[in-house]
């Protein structure tokens, strides 16, 4: 029943690309997504592994933060 909708917005962080982030995050949950560097949207089917999608997001952001120093 239903599906998970996802949106990622990026501001003042040129090292992050919202479309690439969302493609990976939605993909982790069995869905699809993408968009521009500053704004992206996507989704995943009902019963998707949203917990895995959230973990993927945090790991990607954490990796970027470590790369920034």
């Amino acid at each position: 029943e239903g599906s998970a909708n996802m949106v990622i917005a990026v501001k003042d962080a040129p090292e992050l690309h919202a479309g690439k982030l969302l493609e990976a995050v939605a993909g982790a949950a069995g869905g699809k997504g993408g968009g521009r560097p500053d704004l992206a949207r996507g989704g995943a089917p009902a019963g998707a592994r949203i917990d895995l999608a959230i973990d993927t997001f945090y790991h990607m952001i954490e990796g970027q933060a470590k790369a920034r120093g």
Side-chain angles (χ1 to χ4, degrees):
E1 177 178 353
S3 61
N5 294 310
M6 303 173 195
V7 175
I8 293 178
V10 174
K11 183 177 179 182
D12 299 330
E15 69 279 5
L16 297 176
H17 188 290
K20 291 178 182 176
L21 282 169
L22 192 51
E23 182 178 13
V25 170
K32 295 181 180 180
R36 303 185 315 251
D38 63 330
L39 183 64
R41 64 183 181 156
R49 293 287 317 267
I50 299 305
D51 56 332
L52 185 56
I54 292 170
D55 286 344
T56 300
F57 176 77
Y58 281 119
H59 288 297
M60 292 180 76
I61 296 299
E62 184 177 61
Q64 287 293 330
K66 288 180 181 177
R68 284 178 87 178

